[in-house]
């Protein structure tokens, strides 16, 4: 039967913590899609409600629908709604917000074609606007030569002047002329009677590149046709051939451009929709705007109600606003109210939704602002008069309300995720801490059961838990138990072998000695000598095995005693110099006493093994260096020789039992790799350490023994 173990628990918890934020995030995005669909349906319903109020009311459109079949920008003028009345001073300061709406007139608008015409000769920027019951017009004229009307002249055309042509509401065509004598306030003249016409007022001001003209006249005198012309007379001799640049042909009333003034009646109807949360347009079937209400920056729709940012009221809200929101909005994007709106004030509307509405079908469309900061939803609904589409209602909203609602939902989701992650992290922390503590206890028990030399010195208490760690503890306990039996067998094997082999070796040796006493042939004597040599080697092996066993037993039963390490080392070195007269020794032994607690005979045995090792590996005619110094309450003994280097990776294992690095040609004498093992046993007994490493000249090996001094 499968058990629900640690791995399964972690997998389940990880999947849960991963799926929670993903599912929540997907849910919020699906919610946003449904909200956008709902916003689209609601906006179409808004346009339908307003179009219903305009159905079958031809009086609202009579004055607005008598236009040309084709609207031409520059010729057909649109009176934009102005936010404030224009101060007539010629400075154009009040027109600054409307500069993008100015139309530029160049040589294409000359009455007579002139290929050599330059923009500096004559050109102008122009627009008209409506505020209250007045129509305002502005002209920023570029003219390299300005000629005023002479003060004593009765003529109003022998100079630079502005000509106005309009059709009155009663259908009568009238022409007026603005001909200033100097900068300042100006009034119009009737072009036919030359009589002053004070209803048309304005201001004329000279500039570095030409001049500016601002005009104002009542809407009551304006029908649906209007045109302007700038007449440039550089000298009196050029009067017959003066440059005339105009919005339309003022010489023929039928050629005048149309003028559209936003309908005040429709505007009053739209005013009631000003609080609907939408920007609303009413256009005619020529795509021209008849009325407008609202601004797109505030058109968030009904979805934005109640989502305004409120000041924090408690500690959690302050924490969320100060610390969490900056983190969240590295991922999320805040809806921006400041974005580029290409339709903030236009004379003509375009779009697939409007085209479908003018065909009688309600429609909607989405568009991205040019700066990619906002998405605008547009809906259009047709206006019917006697089964004919006379225009359409267009409503626009941004998705800022939906995006704000989405952000609020994601904020709540992130808060929940953080809470769940925090609780899950704390839970997993305690869960992992419990697991790690059990693993650490198992590790500590395993380390205590086996010492640094690999001997089994204890046992592992296993756990009854029915999980992976419980299984691991039981496996470790079983392994250590079996390893302990095997280690005990290996530790006692040398003593058993030495004991068991002594008798047969003695029998063989005595038999060989008896045979030696008999007369032998040359061939049999050769075999007897080889057998005797083998027995001697076997005897030395048994002696070496017994030596390590005796040392281990002596260490277990020995009682430490005080002694002077300096005296022991000096005595041993004097003996080596006598024993090996052909070997050169260099000594550097401190002259101070080095008191220690331990067994001086063990130290002598340690030095024997190190010197024997150095003798075996030293090159001919090289010295063995022995130093003994005191450093930081430690006695440091080093023995170095010139010869073969230690194999890579063997410096830590060379002190283990049965490890030897002797090559084949050095195995003339029996060797079991127990010499350095005895060195380590003696160091462990004295609570010291021993290391082996290649010397700095990389031409030999240095053994360093560190032993603690007695206080």
């Amino acid at each position: 039967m499968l058990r629900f173990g640690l791995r399964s628990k972690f997998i389940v918890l990880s999947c849960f913590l991963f799926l929670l934020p993903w599912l929540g995030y997907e849910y919020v995005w699906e919610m946003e899609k449904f909200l956008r669909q709902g916003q689209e349906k609601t906006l179409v319903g808004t346009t339908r409600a307003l179009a219903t109020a305009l159905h079958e009311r031809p009086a609202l459109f009579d004055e607005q629908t008598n236009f040309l079949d084709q609207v031409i920008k520059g010729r057909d003028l649109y009176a934009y709604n102005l936010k404030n009345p224009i101060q007539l001073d010629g400075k154009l300061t009040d027109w600054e917000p409307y500069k993008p709406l100015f139309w530029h007139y160049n040589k294409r608008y000359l009455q007579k074609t002139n290929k050599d015409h330059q923009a500096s000769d004559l050109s102008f920027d122009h627009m008209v606007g409506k505020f209250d019951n007045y129509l305002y017009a502005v002209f920023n004229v570029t003219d390299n030569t300005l000629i005023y009307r002479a003060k004593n002249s009765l003529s109003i055309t022998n100079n630079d002047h502005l000509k106005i042509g309009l059709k009155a509401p009663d259908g009568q065509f009238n022409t007026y002329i603005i001909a200033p004598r100097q900068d300042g306030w100006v009034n119009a003249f009737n072009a036919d009677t030359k009589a002053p016409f004070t209803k048309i007022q304005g201001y004329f001001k000279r500039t570095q590149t030409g001049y500016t003209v601002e005009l104002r006249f009542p809407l009551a005198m304006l029908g649906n046709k209007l045109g302007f012309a700038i007449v440039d007379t550089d000298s009196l001799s050029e009067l017959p051939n003066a440059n005339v640049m105009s919005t339309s042909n003022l010489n023929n009333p039928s050629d005048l451009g149309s003028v559209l003034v936003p309908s005040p009646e429709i505007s009053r109807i739209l005013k009631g929709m000003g609080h609907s949360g939408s920007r609303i347009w009413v256009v005619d079937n020529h795509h021209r705007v008849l009325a407008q209400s609202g601004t797109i920056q505030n058109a968030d729709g009904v979805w934005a109600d109640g989502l305004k940012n409120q000041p924090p009221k408690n500690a959690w809200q302050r924490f969320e606003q100060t610390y969490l929101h900056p983190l969240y909005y590295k991922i999320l994007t805040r809806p921006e109210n400041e974005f580029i709106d290409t339709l903030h004030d236009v004379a003509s509307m375009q779009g697939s939704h409007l085209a479908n509405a003018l065909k009688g079908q309600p429609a909607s469309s989405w568009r991205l602002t040019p700066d990619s900061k906002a998405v605008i939803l547009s809906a259009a609904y047709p206006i019917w008069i006697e089964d004919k589409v006379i225009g359409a209602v267009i409503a626009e909203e941004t998705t800022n309300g939906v995006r704000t609602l989405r952000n609020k939902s994601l904020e709540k989701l992130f808060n929940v995720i953080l809470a769940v992650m925090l609780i899950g992290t704390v839970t997993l922390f305690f869960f992992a801490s419990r697991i790690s503590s059990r693993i650490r206890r198992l590790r500590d028990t395993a380390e205590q059961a086996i010492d640094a030399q690999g001997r089994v010195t204890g046992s592992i208490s296993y756990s009854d838990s029915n999980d992976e760690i419980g299984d691991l503890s039981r496996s470790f306990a079983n392994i250590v138990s079996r390893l302990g039996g095997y280690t005990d067998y290996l530790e006692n094997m040398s003593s058993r072998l030495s004991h068991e082999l002594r008798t047969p070796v003695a029998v063989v040796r005595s038999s060989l000695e008896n045979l030696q006493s008999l007369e032998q042939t040359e061939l049999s004597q050769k075999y007897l000598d080889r057998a005797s040599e083998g027995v001697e080697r076997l005897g030395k092996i048994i002696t070496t095995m017994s030596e390590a066993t005796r040392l281990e037993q002596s260490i277990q039963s020995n009682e430490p005693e005080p002694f002077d390490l300096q005296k022991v080392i000096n005595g041993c070195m004097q003996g080596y110099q006598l024993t090996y007269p052909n070997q050169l020794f260099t000594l550097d032994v401190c002259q101070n006493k080095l008191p220690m607690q331990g067994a001086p005979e063990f130290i002598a045995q340690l030095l024997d093994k190190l010197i024997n090792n150095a003798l075996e590996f030293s090159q001919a005619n090289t010295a063995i260096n022995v130093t003994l110094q005191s450093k930081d309450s430690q006695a440091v003994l080093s023995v170095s020789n010139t010869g073969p280097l230690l194999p890579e990776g063997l410096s830590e294992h060379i002190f283990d039992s049965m490890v030897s690095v002797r090559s084949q040609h050095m195995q003339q004498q029996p060797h079991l790799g127990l010499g350095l093992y005895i060195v380590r046993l003696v160091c462990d007994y004295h609570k010291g350490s021993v290391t082996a490493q290649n010397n700095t000249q990389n031409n030999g090996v240095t053994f360093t023994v560190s032993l603690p001094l007695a206080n």
Side-chain angles (χ1 to χ4, degrees):
M1 183 178 66
L2 294 175
R3 289 176 301 175
F4 194 66
L6 294 176
R7 181 182 299 175
S8 302
K9 295 175 184 176
F10 275 117
I11 292 175
V12 171
L13 287 174
S14 300
C15 292
F16 172 74
L17 292 177
F18 173 76
L19 286 176
L20 180 63
W22 180 78
L23 290 175
Y25 189 77
E26 288 296 319
Y27 173 78
V28 171
W29 278 105
E30 287 298 320
M31 180 194 72
E32 182 183 9
K33 293 179 183 178
F34 286 117
L35 287 178
R36 288 196 177 194
Q37 294 176 3
Q39 183 182 19
E40 187 173 0
K41 298 298 182 183
T42 301
L43 198 60
V44 172
T46 300
T47 58
R48 179 179 181 179
L50 184 55
T52 301
L54 301 177
H55 287 332
E56 305 302 334
R57 299 181 66 178
L60 297 175
F61 298 90
D62 282 347
E63 295 182 359
Q64 306 296 330
T65 56
N66 188 20
F67 300 126
L68 303 174
D69 291 336
Q70 184 179 8
V71 176
I72 301 175
K73 297 194 81 172
R75 184 197 73 176
D76 301 306
L77 306 178
Y78 181 82
Y80 295 93
N81 277 316
L82 303 176
K83 297 179 181 178
N84 300 293
I86 301 297
Q87 183 178 358
L88 302 179
D89 54 10
K91 296 181 180 180
L92 306 187
T93 305
D94 296 336
W95 297 95
E96 196 66 32
Y98 309 101
K99 279 291 183 66
L101 305 176
F102 281 33
W103 189 261
H104 181 68
Y105 293 82
N106 51 28
K107 65 180 181 180
R108 293 189 298 113
Y109 294 89
L110 287 172
Q111 291 294 315
K112 295 181 180 179
T113 304
N114 182 1
K115 295 182 179 179
D116 298 328
H117 182 82
Q118 301 293 326
S120 58
D121 296 337
L122 180 64
S123 61
F124 66 95
D125 296 321
H126 161 64
M127 76 165 283
V128 293
K130 166 188 170 294
F131 184 83
D132 201 7
N133 295 320
Y134 287 95
L135 184 76
Y136 291 85
V138 62
F139 302 86
N140 186 10
V141 182
T142 299
D143 185 1
N144 53 11
T145 304
L146 172 60
I147 297 181
Y148 290 101
R149 181 163 63 96
K151 293 184 179 180
N152 56 358
S153 174
L154 297 177
S155 173
I156 58 176
T157 58
N158 294 338
N159 45 262
D160 292 347
H161 59 275
L162 168 65
K163 189 174 183 181
I164 306 170
L166 58 84
K167 183 178 286 187
D170 59 4
Q172 183 178 354
F173 176 70
N174 298 315
T175 307
Y176 304 94
I177 292 177
I178 302 293
R181 284 195 172 99
Q182 61 185 6
D183 290 2
W185 191 265
V186 293
N187 289 108
F189 294 91
N190 189 300
D192 297 328
T193 64
K194 307 297 190 295
F197 188 78
T198 57
K199 288 186 178 181
I200 299 179
Q201 302 172 332
Y203 197 95
F204 185 95
K205 184 178 180 178
R206 185 168 190 160
T207 64
Q208 292 181 350
T209 57
Y211 56 90
T212 60
V213 181
E214 291 179 312
L215 296 180
R216 178 185 66 198
F217 54 91
L219 285 172
M221 61 178 292
L222 178 65
N224 57 11
K225 294 288 186 177
L226 177 65
F228 298 95
I230 300 293
V231 181
D232 177 29
T233 304
D234 291 341
S235 66
L236 295 178
S237 61
E238 294 180 356
L239 285 177
N241 298 315
N243 285 330
V244 179
M245 186 175 290
S246 60
T247 61
S248 56
N249 185 9
L250 273 62
N251 297 323
N252 186 353
S254 61
D255 291 339
L256 277 180
S258 62
V259 59
L260 177 63
V261 178
S263 169
E265 293 81 4
I266 298 177
S267 296
R268 281 193 291 271
I269 295 174
L270 291 188
K271 190 175 181 180
M273 301 293 292
H275 303 287
S276 64
S278 306
R279 179 172 66 175
I280 301 175
W281 314 75
V282 176
V283 300
D284 63 9
N285 53 5
H286 296 295
H287 296 234
R288 299 185 64 162
V289 177
L290 306 180
Q292 176 189 349
S293 173
T295 59
I296 194 62
Q297 281 74 16
N298 298 324
D300 293 338
V302 298
W303 311 99
D305 294 345
L307 294 178
K308 304 275 185 195
N309 289 327
Q310 301 293 334
K313 297 179 181 178
N314 51 50
W316 166 250
Q317 291 180 352
R318 286 191 293 271
F319 173 80
E320 184 181 18
Q321 190 176 64
T322 306
Y323 299 103
L324 296 183
H325 285 180
L327 179 63
Y328 294 162
Y329 284 95
K330 289 183 180 295
I331 303 173
L332 304 177
T333 56
R334 294 182 185 273
E336 296 191 28
N337 290 328
E338 297 298 329
F339 51 83
I340 297 176
D341 174 29
T342 55
L343 300 181
H344 63 94
D345 205 350
V346 294
S348 178
M349 294 286 291
Q350 301 294 333
S352 59
H353 58 294
L354 177 58
N356 289 332
L358 294 179
K359 294 177 182 178
Q361 297 293 328
S364 61
S365 65
W366 300 81
R367 76 174 190 274
L368 189 66
T369 58
D371 54 4
S372 302
K373 291 183 177 180
V375 177
I376 297 177
L377 169 63
S378 300
Y381 201 90
I383 301 173
W384 297 87
I385 295 179
E386 296 180 355
D387 297 329
K388 181 180 180 181
V389 177
I390 199 66
V393 176
I394 299 175
E396 293 185 331
E397 292 179 358
T398 66
T399 59
N400 287 355
V402 173
R403 291 172 65 191
T404 301
L405 184 60
R406 178 203 66 190
N407 286 351
K408 293 290 184 183
S409 301
L410 287 174
E411 288 173 16
K412 298 294 184 184
L413 174 64
F414 289 160
N415 289 342
V416 172
I417 291 175
L418 283 178
V420 172
M421 295 293 286
L422 180 61
I423 295 172
T425 301
V426 172
T427 303
L428 289 176
F429 174 77
F430 285 110
F431 183 60
S433 298
R434 180 174 177 271
I435 293 175
S436 62
S437 64
R438 293 174 62 192
I439 294 176
R440 282 195 299 271
R441 287 197 300 269
L442 182 58
R443 178 204 63 192
D444 295 341
T445 305
E447 289 181 350
Q448 293 170 4
I450 301 175
D451 63 10
Q453 288 74 44
R455 293 192 297 266
V456 178
T457 58
S459 61
I460 295 179
S461 57
Y462 59 86
S463 172
D464 293 330
S465 299
N466 193 26
D467 57 16
E468 284 84 349
I469 297 179
D471 282 345
L472 185 62
S473 67
R474 290 188 288 272
S475 297
F476 273 17
N478 188 19
I479 291 171
V480 169
S481 176
R482 287 183 290 172
L483 184 60
Y486 183 67
T487 304
D488 183 66
Y489 167 76
L490 291 179
E491 289 177 347
N492 295 321
M493 183 177 67
S494 61
S495 61
R496 291 174 182 171
L497 284 176
S498 62
H499 176 74
E500 295 296 333
L501 290 175
R502 284 186 185 278
T503 299
V505 168
V507 172
V508 173
R509 181 181 287 114
S510 62
S511 298
L512 289 175
E513 290 175 352
N514 292 331
L515 286 174
Q516 289 281 9
S517 63
L518 300 176
E519 185 177 355
Q520 303 291 329
T521 64
E522 182 180 354
L523 182 60
S524 61
Q525 184 63 42
K526 179 180 179 181
Y527 290 136
L528 282 175
D529 292 340
R530 290 176 63 182
S532 298
E533 182 182 350
V535 170
E536 289 298 324
R537 289 173 61 89
L538 187 58
K540 289 182 179 180
I541 292 175
I542 294 173
T543 301
T544 303
M545 294 171 61
S546 301
E547 182 182 11
T549 303
R550 287 196 303 271
L551 179 63
E552 291 178 344
Q553 294 172 351
S554 299
I555 286 175
Q556 294 175 2
S557 60
N558 187 76
E559 290 293 333
E561 63 180 70
F563 66 95
D564 183 4
L565 179 63
Q566 186 262 357
K567 185 176 180 181
V568 173
I569 298 300
N570 273 329
C572 290
M573 292 306 303
Q574 292 174 7
Y576 298 144
Q577 289 173 337
L578 294 174
T579 306
Y580 307 106
N582 297 327
Q583 176 63 48
L584 178 62
F585 292 93
T586 59
L587 304 179
D588 183 11
V589 179
C590 68
Q591 300 304 314
N592 300 327
K593 289 185 177 182
L594 300 176
M596 286 189 60
Q597 284 289 119
E601 64 273 15
F602 291 168
I603 296 296
Q605 197 168 359
L606 175 147
L607 189 58
D608 284 344
K609 299 304 180 184
L610 292 178
I611 294 298
N612 286 334
N613 185 78
L615 288 170
E616 292 182 18
F617 286 94
S618 290
Q619 294 179 356
N621 301 320
T622 60
I624 296 176
N625 303 314
V626 179
T627 63
L628 178 64
Q629 302 294 334
S630 174
K631 183 179 181 181
D632 298 332
S633 300
Q634 295 274 332
V636 180
L637 171 67
S638 66
V639 178
S640 61
N641 65 277
T642 302
L645 301 178
L646 288 175
E648 185 177 356
L650 198 62
S651 59
E652 295 182 0
H653 302 287
I654 197 171
F655 298 99
D656 293 342
S657 178
M658 302 294 183
V659 175
S660 177
V661 296
R662 288 167 175 78
S663 58
Q664 188 65 33
H665 73 277
M666 299 179 67
Q667 295 285 358
Q668 301 300 323
Q669 297 295 327
H671 196 281
L672 297 179
L674 295 173
L676 296 180
Y677 172 66
I678 292 174
V679 171
R680 193 191 69 188
L681 291 178
V682 174
C683 288
D684 292 344
Y685 171 73
H686 290 91
K687 298 181 175 55
S689 62
V690 60
T691 60
Q693 60 185 5
N694 297 325
N695 59 26
T696 55
Q697 292 80 19
N698 212 30
N699 62 355
V701 179
T702 299
F703 288 85
T704 303
V705 177
S706 297
L707 300 172
L709 296 175
N711 295 329

